Amino acid sequence: LLDPAVALHRVARPPGSRNPVHLYRLWRTVRACRPDVIHAHAASLGPLLAGTGARTLLTVHDTGLPTRGVRAFDAVVAVSAAVQRDLAGRRPAVAARVVANGIDFAAIATRPQQPPPGVLRAVQVSRLVAAKKGQDILLEALQRVLAARGAGTVSVDFIGDGPDRDALEARAR
């Protein structure tokens, strides 16, 4: 649940829709909100957001994503050095700064190697795109762990959705 102080505005764009009415609704909503900063995840929004008067920030989460419109942003962040190199190779004029999108493993205390008694629980959070996120590898590893520890000793929750959902569910069964 969102804090009541946080306003949520929905544009109601169906996934994959290219209907320009949704872009107009987005532009109109942003203009009405009059934000100081806009944080986006799609480079194509750059030209649309440039006329809002707000500072704009683009976060790029993957290599090979479309970059049309990226130069319209005031700042660009890449989630890894690989994403930064990809952007530099395709858009040399864009200076993306790396801000790691993940966990600082050095800040986490390690546990003894002996697994805790009972069920070992894991959670995987991401888009369900096995070629990029490796959920198929996790399922294979889970199968090996279950073979070694026995049925009912390990639980994995997948949080997310994506084009590989049906195939991953079938594999999990």
Side-chain angles (χ1 to χ4, degrees):
L1 293 173
L2 287 177
D3 184 291
V6 176
L8 178 63
H9 303 274
R10 294 190 184 271
V11 177
R13 176 186 159 266
S17 171
R18 297 201 181 275
N19 187 337
V21 74
H22 302 296
L23 289 176
Y24 173 72
R25 286 183 189 154
L26 173 63
W27 180 82
R28 189 179 68 200
T29 301
V30 169
R31 294 282 296 190
C33 292
R34 299 179 48 204
D36 296 313
V37 178
I38 299 171
H39 179 201
H41 297 267
S44 60
L45 292 175
L48 177 75
L49 300 175
T52 62
R55 303 271 300 159
T56 56
L57 167 69
L58 172 68
T59 297
V60 183
H61 289 270
D62 202 353
T63 59
L65 292 176
T67 59
R68 173 178 254 161
V70 70
R71 293 180 66 193
F73 284 89
D74 296 310
V76 179
V77 169
V79 299
S80 69
V83 172
Q84 182 187 43
R85 284 190 302 274
D86 177 64
L87 284 170
R90 295 185 301 132
R91 297 288 181 175
V94 175
R97 177 178 174 216
V98 174
V99 175
N101 184 23
I103 299 168
D104 179 5
F105 290 101
I108 299 172
T110 58
R111 292 184 182 175
Q113 294 293 37
Q114 184 65 23
V119 176
L120 176 65
R121 295 203 59 213
V123 177
Q124 196 277 333
V125 182
S126 72
R127 288 178 295 131
L128 299 180
V129 181
K132 285 280 187 181
K133 303 298 182 176
Q135 292 97 346
D136 56 331
I137 297 168
L138 176 56
L139 287 172
E140 182 180 325
L142 177 61
Q143 185 177 23
R144 291 179 184 187
V145 171
L146 287 171
R149 293 188 68 186
T153 60
V154 179
S155 167
V156 177
D157 294 317
F158 290 85
I159 299 174
D161 202 359
D164 291 346
R165 180 179 179 159
D166 292 341
L168 290 166
E169 285 179 349
R171 188 168 186 167
R173 283 190 291 279

